[in-house]
C-alpha cells in the first residue's frame, strides 16, 4: 500500500500536481466511461466497514469512492456496496481478482454496477490506456495476510465487549 502511494506521489510530482491526500476522493482524469469504473460488490460480510473495503480494493488501483449500503434505521450493513475507481483498468482488475474472493464466511461477488452500459462501452472500445503505471497485483500471501487481519479484527470486537476477568473457584 505504501509503495502504491509512493508511486502515486512520484507520478504527480512528475506532472507538477500536488500530492493527493491518502484516501481522498478525486475526480476521474482518464475520461473513461463511468460505467467501466463503477462496481457493485455483493456478499460483503456485515462486519466489514467502508475503510476495510477500501483497503482491499485499493490494492488494484486508486479508488474514487466507496459506499457500503446500510439499513436506515439500524445503520447495519445490508451486505452490498459500491466501489468507484479512477481508472477503468483498475476496475477490470478488481473484478478479475476479487470476484469470488473469500472474505470471512462469504465470497464476494464483484461486477460492473451497470452491466448493460459497461458492456456497451466495452464494445465501443471505451477503456482508454491507463495514464499511470499498472499497480502490481497482490500475491496470494498478501491476500491471506489481509484476510487474516480482518478476521482478527472481527474476533477481537466481541472479546473486547465481553472482556471480564475469569472467576476463580
Amino acid at each position: 500500500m505504501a509503495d502504491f502511494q509512493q508511486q502515486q506521489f512520484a507520478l504527480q510530482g512528475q506532472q507538477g500536481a500536488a500530492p493527493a491526500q491518502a484516501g481522498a476522493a478525486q475526480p476521474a482524469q482518464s475520461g473513461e466511461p463511468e460505467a467501466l469504473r463503477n462496481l457493485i460488490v455483493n456478499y460483503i460480510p456485515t462486519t466489514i466497514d467502508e475503510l476495510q473495503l477500501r483497503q482491499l480494493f485499493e490494492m488494484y488501483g486508486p479508488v474514487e469512492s466507496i459506499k457500503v449500503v446500510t439499513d436506515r434505521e439500524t445503520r447495519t450493513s445490508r451486505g452490498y456496496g459500491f466501489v468507484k475507481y479512477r481508472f477503468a483498468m483498475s476496475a477490470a482488475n478488481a473484478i478479475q481478482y476479487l470476484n469470488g474472493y473469500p472474505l470471512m464466511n462469504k465470497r464476494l461477488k464483484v461486477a460492473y454496477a451497470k452491466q448493460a452500459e459497461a458492456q456497451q462501452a466495452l464494445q465501443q472500445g471505451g477503456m482508454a490506456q491507463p495514464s499511470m503505471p499498472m499497480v502490481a497485483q497482490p500475491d496470494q500471501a498478501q491476500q491471506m495476510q489481509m484476510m487474516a487481519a480482518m478476521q482478527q479484527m472481527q474476533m477481537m470486537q466481541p472479546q473486547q465487549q465481553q472482556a471480564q476477568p475469569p472467576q476463580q473457584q
Side-chain angles (χ1 to χ4, degrees), residues 128-148:
Q129 292 296 322
S131 59
M132 61 180 288
M134 288 294 294
V135 176
Q137 299 305 320
D139 61 16
Q140 189 174 10
Q142 287 175 313
Q143 289 180 342
M144 294 299 286
Q145 285 176 341
M146 179 168 225
M147 189 164 76

Side-chain angles (χ1 to χ4, degrees), residues 89-163:
M89 186 62 73
S90 301
N93 284 334
I95 291 171
Q96 180 179 354
Y97 292 100
L98 291 178
N99 188 35
Y101 181 78
L103 188 57
M104 295 183 183
N105 59 341
K106 298 188 177 191
R107 287 193 176 270
L108 297 180
K109 180 181 175 192
V110 182
Y112 292 112
K114 297 181 178 178
Q115 192 69 40
E117 288 180 28
Q119 190 66 33
Q120 185 178 18
L122 286 170
Q123 289 173 353
Q124 295 173 354
M127 194 178 307
Q129 292 296 322
S131 59
M132 61 180 288
M134 288 294 294
V135 176
Q137 299 305 320
D139 61 16
Q140 189 174 10
Q142 287 175 313
Q143 289 180 342
M144 294 299 286
Q145 285 176 341
M146 179 168 225
M147 189 164 76
M150 287 181 171
Q151 288 175 339
Q152 185 177 14
M153 286 174 47
Q154 171 63 25
M155 291 169 45
M156 294 299 287
Q157 288 175 349
Q159 288 177 358
Q160 290 172 350
Q161 293 171 356
Q162 299 173 0

